[in-house]
Amino acid sequence: MRAVCLSDDPWATRPAVELLCSGFHVHQAGDSTDVTPADAGVGRIGHFGFFRPEHRATLWRGAAEWLQGSRSFLRSG
């Protein structure tokens, strides 16, 4: 399991994501990554922004590659 913390998300902050993930027995420390808008080459991502089509080539591709085992999701953290 990999959790993604978007740096400009006002609700799913790093502490909130860690608390949520602590309820999953498969989640290990280090199984999360921080993503900034700069990582995706945009000015803003926000809470639901990950799911917007304009992130298909960056965020979606990075997640798909991680799921396929090709490489880590954007950057480890």
Side-chain angles (χ1 to χ4, degrees):
M1 183 170 98
R2 170 67 56 130
V4 177
C5 299
L6 301 172
S7 67
D8 66 341
D9 186 335
W11 296 288
T13 61
R14 163 65 69 179
V17 170
E18 288 177 359
L19 180 62
L20 175 68
C21 290
S22 71
F24 293 93
H25 298 290
V26 296
H27 188 77
Q28 306 267 330
D31 284 348
S32 60
T33 189
D34 294 299
V35 177
T36 67
D39 293 332
V42 297
R44 177 164 164 65
I45 300 172
H47 188 66
F48 291 111
F50 182 96
F51 302 101
R52 294 195 175 114
E54 59 263 29
H55 299 300
R56 177 183 302 261
T58 55
L59 301 178
W60 294 8
R61 181 173 308 223
E65 289 172 350
W66 181 83
L67 286 168
Q68 295 170 344
S70 303
R71 66 175 174 87
S72 293
F73 183 80
L74 293 180
R75 62 181 195 179
S76 297

